[in-house]
Amino acid sequence: DYYYDSYSHFNIHEDMLKDKVRTKAYMKSILDNKNLFEGKIVLDIGCGTGILSIFAAKAGAKHVYGVDNANIILHAKAIVKNNNLADKITLIQGKMEEVELPVEKVDIIISEWMGYFLLYESMLDCVLDARDKYLASDGLMFPNKATMFISSFCNDEIYNQRFDFWDKVYGVDMSCMKQWVYKEPLVDQADRGTINGDFVKLIEFDLETVKKTDLDFVAEYTLKIRRDDYVQGVIIWWDVYFNYCKIPIKLSTSPFASETHWKQTMFFIENEDIPVIKGDTLSGKVAVKKCTKNPRDLDIKIQFKLENREIDFDKSFVYKMN
Amino acid sequence: DYYYDSYSHFNIHEDMLKDKVRTKAYMKSILDNKNLFEGKIVLDIGCGTGILSIFAAKAGAKHVYGVDNANIILHAKAIVKNNNLADKITLIQGKMEEVELPVEKVDIIISEWMGYFLLYESMLDCVLDARDKYLASDGLMFPNKATMFISSFCNDEIYNQRFDFWDKVYGVDMSCMKQWVYKEPLVDQADRGTINGDFVKLIEFDLETVKKTDLDFVAEYTLKIRRDDYVQGVIIWWDVYFNYCKIPIKLSTSPFASETHWKQTMFFIENEDIPVIKGDTLSGKVAVKKCTKNPRDLDIKIQFKLENREIDFDKSFVYKMN
Ligand SMILES: Nc1ncnc2c1ncn2[C@@H]1O[C@H](CSCC[C@H](N)C(=O)O)[C@@H](O)[C@H]1O
Ligand SMILES: Nc1ncnc2c1ncn2[C@@H]1O[C@H](CSCC[C@H](N)C(=O)O)[C@@H](O)[C@H]1O
């Protein structure tokens, strides 16, 4: 009976498991680094099917606590049992914020908490709270660092499909929709060839010290344009790092790496593209904050500044992820 | 401010509009049959962006009432205004069950109410209520008929991806998931070559006379197998018809027609496939009813019966769409 509620979760978890880049990064960072896990107490936040807890148990952890709020954890329990790890792994259903672990401190926190645009619908707040409450003073975070990157792009095909489409829809003028569509960032896998600027670091989070309040941020960027082209907007992606590993491991969602289910996030300049010349500099500020009315949404403001012989462009636009 | 809530609706409506098979079937049935619309009062249930209301106005309707509950209707109002049809089209935000139209009767009801598997998350109940309340005795329904079809299939690739996948997930035995995945019908576009039986009518709804209670139904099917193969389950799809048109128009979601966003729905036999010989007969009952606990979900029970020289198979399985 319980199970039926978790139906909808099959597909989500199946898709996440089938994202090889994602799952293998965690697998390698755990299974290839048994020395870090042997005899340790591990907390897996948002354990889903239990896959990371099982990796940790196989890596020699003394005990693993997996916490998840969704009914998928009922399946996780069956899976743990069938893999003969019931004595090594304790699964607890509930919100991480609300459950009480049977231990005071843990040595390692593993969690796959990242959302689109790193922060959208992410569990990071809840991971940081758990870190402050449970992680031993010499404890380790897996991953331990996250970095966001920014570059510029031009993709006429997407632009036509996404904006010009509304100009004539089966003979009907729906162009008034466009102004609203601009406000919506596009989550999609960018073809490398559409990136026309260098990519630069936007912001870095040290997951062992970052505070929840740091997650609303303003960051500056400055990047060089790589070819004569047009800039239609900026594209943002992230990497997370497992630096305690013998061979440091990076889980990257870059358009220059293999595709993941997170893809990248594109922010279009409203109604315009900026003609650019190789060597031009694009710069500006990116401000991200949780929406006050609905903290699950993100309010994002991006400034685009570019000067060259012919152009003196400096505008800001607001976007909402919801 | 209002608008932000309807952000999420952009993509849905964009995807529906970009489904050419869908939108063109409505467009042709309305715009190529102006004689039916001239001087008529039309009700568009679930008007979304207003596209069907605008078609009806262009076809010469005296007045069109469009009803939708979602904030997308705020955009629809702007669109109607920009297309200079504000005097012909009145848009009303609200649930069809709850709004009061300013007219007692309408001559034509148009609505794109169909869901996956025809009935899942469909608006049909609400369309039938509106029909009984508002449609003139000689009024027309667009579409006026709906038919569901059934056939048998075999697709090893999907089977492996969907079920065998769980046997070993990065070295972890998750096979206990399979029993639950079987209960979930798969909505996907079937390659024609995977259909290995004749397709037959499962049930037909005359939308001018059908009652809400008829939508929970039990229907029988009997179909001939077309080639030596295996049967892994049955596949169900639907067509709707606009028979008042000069040239009757059919909107088909058949795997033998062009793909639509509805695709088809596949029901897998649990843990087995049935070896079949060309000419064999597969038959059984299909029972569909709204879930009592949660009427938005569908409970479906399917019987699979097949006898030949070597096989005497007769089993039933339950599925849930949610
Ligand atoms: N506040 C919270 N407390 C507990 N679990 C949470 C949570 N917020 C999200 N989750 C859970 O976090 C999981 C993230 S998905 C990751 C699943 C699994 N660790 C894997 O790598 O495959 C989801 O199953 C979700 O239900
Ligand atoms: N009970 C109800 N009352 C009013 N609108 C409803 C409804 N149930 C669903 N809807 C609306 O029905 C629409 C169906 S989608 C079809 C949109 C449009 N007619 C087109 O063809 O493009 C959605 O916009 C949804 O918000």
Side-chain angles (χ1 to χ4, degrees):
Chain A
D1 204 35
Y2 268 126
Y3 287 87
Y4 280 129
D5 313 354
S6 57
Y7 260 22
S8 51
H9 294 264
F10 278 2
N11 297 347
I12 301 172
H13 287 280
E14 184 179 336
D15 288 351
M16 285 189 309
L17 290 170
K18 284 186 174 166
D19 182 338
K20 288 212 180 109
V21 174
R22 181 199 88 107
T23 313
K24 287 205 162 164
Y26 279 86
M27 181 167 81
K28 284 170 63 79
S29 67
I30 299 172
L31 290 183
D32 295 356
N33 293 280
K34 300 213 166 100
N35 57 313
L36 299 175
F37 284 84
E38 258 149 28
K40 293 297 197 304
I41 303 293
V42 178
L43 169 60
D44 174 7
I45 305 180
C47 64
T49 54
I51 183 95
L52 305 185
S53 295
I54 293 176
F55 290 154
K58 287 189 172 180
K62 186 168 155 194
H63 205 86
V64 186
Y65 296 93
V67 177
D68 203 301
N69 193 30
N71 281 329
I72 186 79
I73 204 170
L74 300 169
H75 296 295
K77 286 184 181 171
I79 290 169
V80 164
K81 191 154 154 291
N82 294 342
N83 287 270
N84 302 317
L85 291 167
D87 57 328
K88 285 283 170 205
I89 301 177
T90 303
L91 296 175
I92 306 172
Q93 184 164 20
K95 293 216 170 103
M96 189 66 226
E97 306 83 290
E98 299 170 3
V99 304
E100 266 310 312
L101 295 190
V103 291
E104 209 145 308
K105 290 288 167 194
V106 302
D107 302 304
I108 302 183
I109 291 181
I110 53 180
S111 179
E112 196 276 73
W113 52 265
M114 299 83 70
Y116 294 131
F117 188 69
L118 190 68
L119 299 173
Y120 177 59
E121 298 211 333
S122 98
M123 277 194 303
L124 184 53
D125 277 25
C126 139
V127 168
L128 298 185
D129 282 341
R131 176 198 67 189
D132 295 342
K133 184 166 167 192
Y134 288 112
L135 190 65
S137 59
D138 59 348
L140 310 180
M141 297 291 288
F142 272 69
N144 69 306
K145 219 184 75 173
T147 308
M148 295 175 82
F149 296 92
I150 186 167
S151 189
S152 58
F153 71 88
C154 178
N155 187 321
D156 292 328
E157 204 177 328
I158 293 186
Y159 199 93
N160 291 342
Q161 281 283 316
R162 190 165 168 80
F163 302 107
D164 300 343
F165 165 76
W166 299 101
D167 288 338
K168 266 261 161 304
V169 183
Y170 303 91
V172 177
D173 175 356
M174 297 196 174
S175 55
C176 57
M177 294 294 280
K178 280 201 267 186
Q179 58 188 301
W180 305 106
V181 182
Y182 279 111
K183 301 205 176 331
E184 233 184 299
L186 171 67
V187 173
D188 205 350
Q189 182 68 13
D191 187 277
R192 296 163 178 208
T194 68
I195 311 286
N196 57 17
D198 286 341
F199 64 89
V200 295
K201 203 175 289 188
L202 180 67
I203 192 169
E204 210 173 83
F205 298 111
D206 178 334
L207 299 170
E208 296 179 343
T209 57
V210 67
K211 293 192 301 294
K212 261 161 56 176
T213 51
D214 300 335
L215 302 180
D216 283 0
F217 67 89
V218 180
E220 305 203 338
Y221 71 95
T222 304
L223 59 88
K224 270 243 167 337
I225 299 299
R226 285 193 164 187
R227 63 170 180 254
D228 297 359
D229 201 354
Y230 292 84
V231 167
Q232 293 180 330
V234 289
I235 175 167
I236 295 182
W237 68 85
W238 51 265
D239 295 352
V240 299
Y241 305 84
F242 302 83
N243 288 336
Y244 293 111
C245 300
K246 259 193 316 288
I247 302 166
I249 285 172
K250 178 170 78 175
L251 163 49
S252 173
T253 66
S254 159
F256 300 103
S258 297
E259 183 169 350
T260 73
H261 76 283
W262 286 288
K263 298 170 171 157
Q264 297 88 33
T265 310
M266 292 178 227
F267 299 82
F268 285 82
I269 298 174
E270 199 165 325
N271 281 328
E272 278 177 280
D273 42 28
I274 318 177
V276 290
I277 294 163
K278 191 176 160 169
D280 278 356
T281 298
L282 178 76
S283 63
K285 288 205 178 72
V286 175
V288 176
K289 66 184 203 39
K290 292 193 184 59
C291 172
T292 32
K293 268 181 44 182
N294 184 348
R296 282 186 53 244
D297 297 349
L298 292 182
D299 284 328
I300 301 165
K301 186 170 178 178
I302 301 185
Q303 176 195 21
F304 299 86
K305 196 160 179 299
L306 191 137
E307 271 174 60
N308 65 24
R309 267 161 293 158
E310 293 149 45
I311 292 265
D312 184 354
F313 192 98
D314 186 351
K315 296 196 184 168
S316 295
F317 300 93
V318 295
Y319 305 89
K320 192 170 202 100
M321 289 190 84
N322 66 357
Chain B
D1 204 35
Y2 269 126
Y3 288 87
Y4 279 129
D5 313 354
S6 57
Y7 260 23
S8 50
H9 294 265
F10 278 2
N11 297 348
I12 300 172
H13 287 281
E14 184 179 335
D15 288 350
M16 285 190 309
L17 290 171
K18 285 187 173 165
D19 181 338
K20 288 212 179 110
V21 174
R22 179 200 90 107
T23 314
K24 287 205 163 164
Y26 279 85
M27 181 167 80
K28 284 170 64 80
S29 67
I30 299 172
L31 290 183
D32 295 356
N33 293 280
K34 300 213 166 101
N35 57 313
L36 299 175
F37 283 83
E38 258 149 28
K40 293 298 198 303
I41 303 292
V42 178
L43 169 60
D44 174 7
I45 304 180
C47 64
T49 55
I51 184 96
L52 305 185
S53 295
I54 293 176
F55 289 155
K58 287 189 172 180
K62 186 169 157 194
H63 205 87
V64 186
Y65 296 93
V67 177
D68 203 301
N69 193 31
N71 281 330
I72 186 78
I73 204 170
L74 300 169
H75 296 294
K77 286 183 182 171
I79 290 169
V80 164
K81 191 154 154 291
N82 294 342
N83 287 271
N84 302 317
L85 291 167
D87 57 328
K88 286 283 170 206
I89 302 178
T90 303
L91 296 175
I92 306 172
Q93 184 165 19
K95 293 216 171 105
M96 189 67 225
E97 306 83 290
E98 299 169 4
V99 304
E100 266 310 311
L101 295 190
V103 292
E104 209 145 308
K105 290 288 167 194
V106 302
D107 301 304
I108 302 183
I109 290 181
I110 53 181
S111 179
E112 196 276 73
W113 52 265
M114 298 83 70
Y116 294 131
F117 188 69
L118 191 67
L119 299 173
Y120 177 59
E121 299 211 333
S122 98
M123 277 194 302
L124 184 53
D125 277 25
C126 139
V127 168
L128 299 185
D129 282 341
R131 176 198 67 189
D132 296 342
K133 183 165 167 193
Y134 288 113
L135 191 65
S137 59
D138 59 347
L140 310 180
M141 297 291 288
F142 272 69
N144 68 306
K145 220 184 74 173
T147 308
M148 295 176 82
F149 296 92
I150 186 168
S151 189
S152 58
F153 71 89
C154 178
N155 188 320
D156 292 327
E157 204 177 327
I158 293 187
Y159 199 94
N160 290 342
Q161 281 283 316
R162 191 166 167 79
F163 301 106
D164 300 343
F165 165 75
W166 299 101
D167 287 338
K168 266 262 160 303
V169 183
Y170 303 91
V172 177
D173 174 356
M174 296 196 175
S175 55
C176 58
M177 294 294 280
K178 280 202 266 186
Q179 58 188 301
W180 305 105
V181 182
Y182 278 112
K183 301 205 177 333
E184 234 184 297
L186 172 67
V187 173
D188 204 350
Q189 182 69 12
D191 188 278
R192 296 162 178 209
T194 67
I195 311 286
N196 57 17
D198 287 340
F199 64 89
V200 295
K201 202 175 290 187
L202 180 66
I203 193 169
E204 209 173 83
F205 298 111
D206 178 334
L207 299 170
E208 297 179 342
T209 57
V210 67
K211 293 192 300 296
K212 261 161 54 177
T213 50
D214 300 335
L215 302 181
D216 282 359
F217 67 89
V218 180
E220 306 203 337
Y221 72 96
T222 305
L223 59 88
K224 270 243 167 338
I225 299 300
R226 285 193 163 188
R227 63 170 180 254
D228 297 359
D229 201 354
Y230 292 84
V231 167
Q232 293 181 330
V234 288
I235 175 168
I236 295 183
W237 67 85
W238 51 265
D239 295 352
V240 298
Y241 305 85
F242 302 83
N243 288 336
Y244 293 111
C245 300
K246 260 192 316 289
I247 302 166
I249 285 173
K250 178 170 78 176
L251 163 48
S252 174
T253 65
S254 160
F256 300 103
S258 297
E259 184 169 349
T260 73
H261 75 283
W262 286 288
K263 297 170 172 158
Q264 297 88 34
T265 310
M266 293 178 227
F267 299 82
F268 284 82
I269 298 175
E270 198 165 326
N271 282 328
E272 279 177 280
D273 42 28
I274 319 177
V276 290
I277 295 163
K278 191 177 160 171
D280 278 355
T281 298
L282 178 75
S283 64
K285 288 205 178 72
V286 175
V288 176
K289 67 185 204 35
K290 292 193 184 57
C291 172
T292 32
K293 268 181 45 183
N294 184 349
R296 281 186 55 243
D297 297 349
L298 292 182
D299 285 328
I300 301 165
K301 186 168 177 179
I302 301 185
Q303 176 195 21
F304 299 86
K305 196 160 179 299
L306 192 138
E307 272 174 59
N308 65 24
R309 267 160 294 158
E310 293 149 46
I311 293 266
D312 184 354
F313 192 98
D314 186 351
K315 296 197 184 167
S316 295
F317 300 92
V318 295
Y319 305 89
K320 191 170 202 100
M321 288 190 84
N322 66 357

